[in-house]
C-alpha cells in the first residue's frame, strides 16, 4: 500500500502485526538421480557380476529418499528469521522441505530483484509487484501462470479469506487472458476501515442522546458542539468537525456519502463508470459544507491540516466529530493493541466514549464513507521456472497457507511452542513465559511477528491473539458499520489516468476547498466540471469505461 494512501495509519496501528518477509529466490534443488540410474542400466553387455552390481546400485538409488525441495524466503530481519526456529522447524517437518532465509539488503530490494531478473536469475517468487509491474512481468514472460485449481486445493483458507472481501471471484484483479499469474494480496481492513465518530460525552453535555442518523441531525449536533461549550471551559473554542485538506478522498467523506458522491474514486452506477467529484451530488454536499463553514461549525484550519494536526485536535478536545479508522475509536485491546485515541481520551475523561456510525443519511437515504480497494498490489508471483516445477510451486503455496491461516504453524512462527514460550492468558491474549517475556530472548529463538510470505494478513484471525476476548464482539460490530465504497478500478492499469491524475486531483482539491470556504461561488460548479473534463478528465472517463467493460462488466 502506498504511504500516501495510509491516511495516518502509522499512528493508528500502534504496533505492526508483521515483519515484512519478501520473496523467495534461487534455483531448484531437484532430484537428479535419473542420470546415475541410466548409466547403471546402460551396460547390458557386462558380466553377470557387473550386472548384479548395477542392479544392486539401482535398487539403492530407487530406495533413497527423494531430495527435499529447497524453499527460499527473503527477510528484512535476519536476526529473527532463523531456519531452526520452532515455526520454521514445524514447516520443514510438515511439508518435507528445506528452508533458507536470504537477507533483502534493505530498501534496495526492488532494484536487487530487477538486477536478478535482468541477469536471468529469476527468483522463485516475488512479493506484491504493483499492478503496473505485474503487467510488465507478464509481457516480459518472466512469471508463471498459476492454475486456479492448485490454489483452491492447497490454499482453501486463503481463498475463503479473499472471497470475504473480493466476492465470489477473488482472482478478478489478477486474471489476464483467462489465466491467473498472482496469488492476490489484500489489505482487508482497508475496505471497511473508516467510520464516523462523535464524542458521546460531549453529546450528553449538550443534551443529545441519539447518535445522528441523518445529515440534518448531524448538523444540529455539530452546531451544539460549537456553541454550547461541550468541554465546559466557558470558552467558545470547540468545533463540530475537522478534516485534512490534503486528501480529497477523506475530506468530509461522510457528507459526500450522504449524497452518494465520493470524490476521486471510480464507481459504477447502472453499468456506467462515474467519478464523484463531477456528479451532481458533489455540488449538494459542497452546499452543506459551505453552510457549515459559514456557521463556524467546521474547523477553519482544515484547509492546512495534516494528519498529525487532526490527531492533535481530537486529543486536545477541540473537535467533537471525526472520520477515522474505527479501531482508534475503541480501546487498543479490542483489536490491534497499543494505545489508541480512545485510551488517550479515556485517561483524561473517565466518562468519555465515542458514538460510532458508518455515515449519515442524505435526502435519498444514501450514506457511507470512501474506503480503500483492498487490492493494493497484485500479490505473490512465481518465476517462470516454476511452471515446470509445479511440485515446488505447490510447496510454496502450502507453506503460505499454513503460516498465515493455520493456528498451529502461525503460533509456532510468531510465539513459539505453547506452554513453553507462551500461553493464552485470562483475557484470551498471548502471554509470554519466563525468560521469553524479554523480546531479545524471543529473537534469539527466532520468534517474532513475521510470515513466510510477508503477505496475506487476515486481521480477524491475527488479532484473535492480541485482542481482549471480552472486546472482540465490540470490534466485530464496530467494523460491520463500515460501508464498502471503494475505487473499483484501482487495481487496473490506466495509462491515461496515470498521466492525468495528479493535476486533476490538485485541481479538484483546491476547487472544493474554495467552494467550502466561499472563495469560489457554487454557481461556478458547472464551470469546474467543464474545466475538469477539458484538463483530460473526459479522456480519463472514456478509458475508465473501457477498463470496466473489459474487466468487470458482467
Amino acid at each position: 500500500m502506498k504511504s500516501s494512501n495510509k491516511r495516518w495509519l502509522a499512528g493508528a496501528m500502534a504496533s505492526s502485526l508483521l515483519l515484512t518477509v519478501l520473496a523467495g529466490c534461487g534455483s531448484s534443488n531437484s532430484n537428479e538421480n535419473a542420470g546415475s540410474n541410466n548409466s547403471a542400466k546402460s551396460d547390458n553387455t557386462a558380466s553377470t557380476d557387473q550386472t548384479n552390481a548395477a542392479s544392486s546400485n539401482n535398487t539403492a538409488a530407487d530406495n533413497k529418499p527423494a531430495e527435499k525441495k529447497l524453499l527460499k524466503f527473503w527477510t528484512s530481519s535476519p536476526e529473527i528469521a532463523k531456519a531452526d526456529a520452532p515455526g520454521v522447524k514445524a514447516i520443514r517437518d510438515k511439508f518435507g522441505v528445506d528452508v533458507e532465509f536470504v537477507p533483502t539488503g534493505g530498501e534496495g530490494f526492488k532494484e536487487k530483484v530487477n538486477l536478478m531478473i535482468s541477469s536471468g536469475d529469476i527468483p522463485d517468487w516475488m512479493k506484491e509487484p504493483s499492478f503496473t509491474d505485474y503487467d510488465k512481468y507478464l509481457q516480459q514472460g518472466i512469471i508463471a501462470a498459476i492454475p486456479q485449481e492448485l490454489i483452491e486445493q492447497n490454499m482453501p483458507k486463503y481463498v475463503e479469506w479473499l472471497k470475504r472481501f473480493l466476492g465470489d471471484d477473488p482472482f478478478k484483479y489478477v486474471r489476464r487472458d483467462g489465466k491467473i499469474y498472482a496469488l492476490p494480496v489484500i489489505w482487508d481492513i482497508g475496505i471497511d476501515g473508516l467510520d464516523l465518530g462523535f464524542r458521546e460525552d460531549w453529546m450528553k453535555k449538550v443534551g443529545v442522546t441519539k447518535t445522528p442518523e441523518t445529515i440534518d441531525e448531524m448538523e444540529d449536533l455539530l452546531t451544539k458542539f460549537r456553541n454550547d461549550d461541550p468541554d465546559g471551559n466557558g470558552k467558545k473554542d470547540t468545533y463540530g468537525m475537522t478534516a485534512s485538506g490534503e486528501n480529497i478522498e477523506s475530506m468530509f467523506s461522510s457528507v459526500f456519502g450522504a449524497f452518494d458522491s465520493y470524490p476521486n474514486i471510480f464507481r459504477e452506477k447502472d453499468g456506467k463508470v462515474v467519478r464523484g467529484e463531477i456528479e451532481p451530488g458533489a455540488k449538494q454536499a459542497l452546499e452543506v459544507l459551505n453552510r457549515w463553514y459559514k456557521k463556524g461549525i467546521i474547523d477553519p484550519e482544515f484547509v492546512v491540516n495534516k494528519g498529525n494536526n487532526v490527531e492533535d485536535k481530537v486529543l486536545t478536545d477541540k473537535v467533537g466529530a471525526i472520520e477515522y479508522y474505527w479501531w482508534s475509536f475503541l480501546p487498543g485491546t479490542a483489536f490491534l493493541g497499543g494505545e489508541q485515541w480512545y485510551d488517550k481520551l479515556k485517561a483524561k475523561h473517565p466518562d468519555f466514549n465515542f458514538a460510532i456510525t458508518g455515515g449519515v443519511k442524505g435526502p435519498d437515504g444514501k450514506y457511507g464513507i470512501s474506503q480503500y480497494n483492498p487490492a493494493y498490489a497484485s500479490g505473490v508471483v512465481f518465476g517462470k521456472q516454476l511452471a515446470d516445477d509445479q511440485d515446488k510451486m505447490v510447496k510454496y503455496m502450502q507453506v503460505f497457507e499454513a503460516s498465515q491461516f493455520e493456528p498451529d504453524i502461525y503460533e509456532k512462527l510468531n510465539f513459539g511452542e505453547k506452554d513453553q514460550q507462551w500461553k493464552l492468558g485470562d483475557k484470551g491474549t498471548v502471554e509470554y513465559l519466563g525468560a521469553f517475556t524479554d523480546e531479545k530472548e524471543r529473537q534469539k529463538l527466532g520468534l517474532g511477528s513475521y510470515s513466510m510470505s510477508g503477505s496475506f494478513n487476515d486481521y480477524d484471525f491475527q488479532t484473535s491473539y492480541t485482542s481482549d476476548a471480552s472486546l472482540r464482539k465490540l470490534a466485530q460490530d464496530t467494523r460491520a458499520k463500515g460501508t464498502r465504497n471503494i475505487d473499483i478500478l484501482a487495481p487496473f492499469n490506466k495509462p491515461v489516468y496515470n498521466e492525468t491524475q495528479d493535476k486533476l486531483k490538485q485541481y479538484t482539491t483546491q476547487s472544493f476547498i474554495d467552494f467550502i470556504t466561499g472563495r469560489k461561488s457554487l454557481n461556478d460548479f458547472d464551470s469546474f466540471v467543464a474545466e475538469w473534463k477539458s484538463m483530460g478528465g473526459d479522456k480519463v472517463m472514456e478509458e475508465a469505461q473501457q477498463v470496466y467493460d473489459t474487466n468487470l462488466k458482467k
Side-chain angles (χ1 to χ4, degrees):
M1 161 182 31
K2 295 180 180 178
S3 60
S4 60
N5 285 343
K6 289 184 180 176
R7 292 181 181 160
W8 334 318
L9 180 60
M13 297 180 71
S15 59
S16 175
L17 290 177
L18 58 101
L19 175 71
T20 302
V21 178
L22 296 175
C25 82
S27 59
S28 168
N29 282 0
S30 57
N31 191 337
E32 297 180 355
N33 289 334
S36 60
N37 288 347
N38 288 337
S39 65
K41 292 177 181 177
S42 63
D43 191 3
N44 291 327
T45 61
S47 66
T48 302
D49 289 343
Q50 291 174 321
T51 302
N52 290 338
S55 176
S56 176
N57 288 339
N58 288 339
T59 301
D62 290 340
N63 291 334
K64 181 181 179 180
E67 188 172 349
K68 294 180 179 180
K69 298 287 185 183
L70 174 62
L71 306 187
K72 295 189 177 183
F73 301 89
W74 292 87
T75 175
S76 59
S77 298
E79 73 278 6
I80 296 178
K82 300 180 186 298
D84 59 351
V88 180
K89 182 179 184 299
I91 287 172
R92 296 201 319 264
D93 293 344
K94 181 171 183 177
F95 300 108
V97 297
D98 286 328
V99 172
E100 180 180 328
F101 290 103
V102 183
T104 61
E107 294 181 358
F109 176 69
K110 182 176 180 180
E111 289 73 20
K112 184 174 183 177
V113 169
N114 288 338
L115 183 61
M116 292 174 64
I117 292 172
S118 64
S119 67
D121 185 17
I122 301 173
D124 277 355
W125 62 279
M126 294 163 280
K127 173 182 176 288
E128 299 177 10
S130 68
F131 283 100
T132 300
D133 286 343
Y134 175 63
D135 288 326
K136 287 180 181 178
Y137 288 166
L138 184 56
Q139 292 168 5
Q140 294 167 357
I142 64 173
I143 56 177
I146 311 172
Q148 182 170 335
E149 61 271 20
L150 285 187
I151 305 174
E152 293 172 341
Q153 290 168 6
N154 294 284
M155 303 183 73
K157 293 180 180 179
Y158 160 75
V159 172
E160 186 278 329
W161 170 65
L162 289 179
K163 287 183 176 181
R164 291 192 342 242
F165 301 98
L166 298 180
D168 291 336
D169 182 12
F171 307 105
K172 57 190 173 187
Y173 294 132
V174 297
R175 189 178 287 109
R176 301 290 187 270
D177 298 324
K179 294 183 179 180
I180 297 167
Y181 294 86
L183 301 175
V185 62
I186 60 174
W187 185 50
D188 72 31
I189 51 178
I191 196 171
D192 52 12
L194 290 161
D195 274 344
L196 173 62
F198 298 98
R199 285 284 297 263
E200 191 171 54
D201 53 329
W202 282 17
M203 289 170 58
K204 293 176 181 177
K205 288 178 181 178
V206 299
V208 176
T209 59
K210 174 176 170 287
T211 303
E213 295 180 0
T214 68
I215 193 74
D216 291 337
E217 291 176 354
M218 181 174 174
E219 181 171 347
D220 289 342
L221 178 60
L222 298 188
T223 301
K224 292 179 184 294
F225 283 168
R226 174 61 174 154
N227 297 326
D228 292 2
D229 192 25
D231 62 348
N233 68 353
K235 301 176 182 179
K236 189 175 181 179
D237 60 354
T238 55
Y239 291 95
M241 190 176 191
T242 194
S244 172
E246 66 178 351
N247 194 332
I248 188 64
E249 294 100 325
S250 61
M251 187 175 69
F252 306 116
S253 181
S254 60
V255 179
F256 288 96
F259 298 94
D260 198 28
S261 176
Y262 299 90
N264 211 50
I265 68 173
F266 293 106
R267 299 169 67 227
E268 175 270 330
K269 293 182 179 180
D270 299 323
K272 182 180 179 181
V273 175
V274 298
R275 252 322 245 215
E277 60 263 48
I278 59 173
E279 288 192 277
K283 182 179 181 181
Q284 293 175 281
L286 290 167
E287 288 171 345
V288 170
L289 290 167
N290 174 250
R291 182 171 69 247
W292 290 5
Y293 186 85
K294 290 178 179 177
K295 291 174 65 174
I297 62 179
I298 289 177
D299 168 26
E301 294 182 348
F302 85 90
V303 175
V304 296
N305 280 345
K306 306 295 184 183
N308 61 324
N309 303 124
V310 172
E311 181 174 23
D312 287 345
K313 290 179 179 183
V314 171
L315 297 180
T316 57
D317 305 312
K318 296 301 181 185
V319 295
I322 190 67
E323 297 159 356
Y324 202 52
Y325 291 101
W326 58 263
W327 54 86
S328 294
F329 300 146
L330 302 180
T333 53
F335 192 57
L336 292 176
E339 190 178 38
Q340 300 295 337
W341 284 0
Y342 174 96
D343 303 296
K344 295 176 182 179
L345 286 167
K346 191 73 172 179
K348 294 169 57 179
H349 310 290
D351 60 343
F352 161 82
N353 202 4
F354 276 116
I356 308 166
T357 181
V360 290
K361 295 178 181 178
D364 297 327
K366 302 289 187 179
Y367 73 98
I369 294 175
S370 179
Q371 310 282 357
Y372 289 115
N373 190 309
Y376 61 90
S378 58
V380 167
V381 297
F382 292 109
K384 65 178 182 180
Q385 67 274 18
L386 266 66
D388 298 322
D389 192 353
Q390 284 197 352
D391 288 345
K392 192 173 191 180
M393 181 185 289
V394 165
K395 291 294 186 183
Y396 274 121
M397 286 193 283
Q398 290 172 340
V399 170
F400 296 156
E401 170 87 353
S403 63
Q404 291 302 103
F405 299 96
E406 295 180 7
D408 180 58
I409 299 294
Y410 179 82
E411 290 170 3
K412 286 183 171 66
L413 277 172
N414 289 279
F415 317 123
E417 296 286 353
K418 191 174 183 180
D419 297 326
Q420 294 182 33
Q421 283 88 40
W422 68 283
K423 68 174 184 178
L424 279 180
D426 294 338
K427 295 184 177 180
T429 58
V430 169
E431 293 181 1
Y432 289 103
L433 301 173
F436 298 100
T437 57
D438 185 341
E439 183 179 9
K440 292 181 180 179
E441 292 300 316
R442 298 199 295 272
Q443 290 185 354
K444 288 179 183 178
L445 192 61
L447 305 180
S449 297
Y450 65 91
S451 69
M452 306 304 286
S453 65
S455 288
F456 315 142
N457 297 295
D458 180 348
Y459 284 93
D460 285 341
F461 168 62
Q462 293 176 358
T463 57
S464 68
Y465 295 95
T466 62
S467 61
D468 189 324
S470 66
L471 296 176
R472 289 173 194 165
K473 181 65 164 56
L474 172 65
Q476 292 171 1
D477 291 345
T478 304
R479 182 176 186 176
K481 296 177 187 290
T483 56
R484 297 185 174 188
N485 301 293
I486 63 172
D487 186 335
I488 61 172
L489 301 185
F492 298 110
N493 189 26
K494 303 177 290 294
V496 175
Y497 178 64
N498 293 342
E499 288 291 324
T500 315
Q501 62 175 323
D502 287 343
K503 66 178 181 180
L504 288 178
K505 182 174 183 178
Q506 183 178 8
Y507 176 62
T508 300
T509 302
Q510 188 58 57
S511 295
F512 277 28
I513 288 174
D514 289 345
F515 284 136
I516 293 170
T517 60
R519 288 196 291 264
K520 182 181 289 188
S521 171
L522 277 161
N523 292 331
D524 295 331
F525 183 79
D526 291 344
S527 298
F528 155 77
V529 173
E531 180 66 15
W532 188 93
K533 292 179 178 179
S534 71
M535 292 172 64
D538 53 351
K539 293 182 174 59
V540 164
M541 296 309 295
E542 290 176 8
E543 177 189 58
Q545 190 66 50
Q546 291 173 357
V547 171
Y548 172 80
D549 290 344
T550 300
N551 296 282
L552 296 178
K553 189 174 183 179
K554 297 179 180 180

